[in-house]
Amino acid sequence: MTAMLYATLAGAFIPLGGLLARIERIRPLWLERELRHGVIAFGGGALMAAVALVLVPEGQRYLSAWSALAAFGAGGIAFFLIDRMIERRGGGIAQLMAMLLDFVPESLALGAMLAAELQAGLLLAGLIALQNLPEGFNAYLELRARDALTSGQILVGFCAIVLLGPLAAWFGFSYLRETSVALGAMLLFAAGGILYLTFEDIAPQAHLARRWAPALGAVAGFMLGLLGQMLLR
């Protein structure tokens, strides 16, 4: 199925990001730090592009104004509550959970969108892949810092996470396409959650004092999403 294939390809960027983090060793140290923060910021820019150019515009097509606001707000609140729960338990896997919270609902939305509009679905798949790369990169470094898992165990776990994408896309393609209201609600719910995570987790991690590459990386990530959207038009 096309939806499952594209979700798998987008998810494959998670272990790819982890692999890049595993081999990433650059000197001098300031360049290594700036590269890491730049990659995180690039993913944040791609996330903003997904929200602004795909999820919100497409979701608004299927819902009334108040329903759209309710779905968007519910996504933000749901991700906030989960984030608080993770924080109370130590916050050691916050980036990993953020990656899962992005990937699964977006894959649901991807499957539903591919059923309704192929070109917009393909753009969303590309943006998911772009954000999965820096999220996998950062989640790997976070897990390695805890010294609870080996590099191989983390990468194997990331490969297992990839399987969640096609399953979610299949469900979205098979069931969410049956009702445009469910599709619109899922898109806006994911958008609200992503916006919360971007400002709560990704943007603060991307900042470096007296370094401008991360902020420019965020601009570049959004520009790439904008280019994809304009090419489709």
Side-chain angles (χ1 to χ4, degrees):
M1 184 185 295
T2 302
M4 297 176 66
L5 173 63
Y6 284 121
T8 302
L9 292 175
F13 278 71
I14 294 174
L16 178 59
L19 184 61
L20 290 175
R22 181 182 182 183
I23 64 177
E24 171 262 338
R25 285 294 181 271
I26 298 176
R27 294 297 181 268
L29 181 61
W30 70 265
L31 183 58
E32 180 179 318
R33 292 179 65 244
E34 193 156 356
L35 173 65
R36 177 184 174 183
H37 286 72
V39 171
I40 295 170
F42 183 88
L47 279 170
M48 289 294 94
V51 170
L53 303 176
V54 179
L55 296 175
V56 170
E58 292 298 320
Q60 285 179 312
R61 293 173 53 189
Y62 306 115
L63 297 176
S64 66
W66 290 111
S67 297
L69 287 174
F72 188 90
I77 292 171
F79 280 46
F80 157 72
L81 292 174
I82 295 172
D83 193 37
R84 284 290 302 274
M85 180 181 67
I86 294 171
E87 183 67 26
R88 288 173 181 173
R89 296 185 178 183
I93 57 172
Q95 183 64 36
L96 176 64
M97 289 302 299
M99 181 172 65
L100 287 171
L101 290 171
D102 286 348
F103 184 47
V104 173
E106 285 180 344
S107 295
L108 282 166
L110 173 63
M113 184 173 286
L114 284 170
E117 188 172 340
L118 179 61
Q119 287 187 324
L122 292 178
L123 175 58
L124 179 59
L127 293 172
I128 292 173
L130 287 174
Q131 75 186 61
N132 281 341
L133 183 69
E135 286 183 351
F137 184 96
N138 200 43
Y140 174 91
L141 294 176
E142 179 184 64
L143 292 171
R144 283 298 293 144
R146 299 179 68 213
D147 290 326
L149 298 172
T150 67
S151 296
Q153 289 172 328
I154 295 172
L155 292 176
V156 169
F158 282 5
C159 290
I161 289 172
V162 174
L163 300 177
L164 296 175
L167 290 174
W170 169 80
F171 184 85
F173 186 90
S174 301
Y175 298 103
L176 288 182
R177 67 174 180 171
E178 299 296 331
T179 168
S180 59
V181 172
L183 172 58
M186 175 56 65
L187 295 175
L188 286 162
F189 181 90
I194 290 168
L195 187 64
Y196 170 83
L197 288 171
T198 299
F199 282 93
E200 177 64 21
D201 295 323
I202 297 175
Q205 292 184 56
H207 177 70
L208 277 176
R210 294 187 296 276
R211 291 288 186 272
W212 296 272
L216 291 173
V219 175
F222 193 95
M223 287 173 64
L224 191 60
L226 179 61
L227 175 62
Q229 195 246 17
M230 290 190 297
L231 289 175
L232 289 179
R233 295 189 174 205

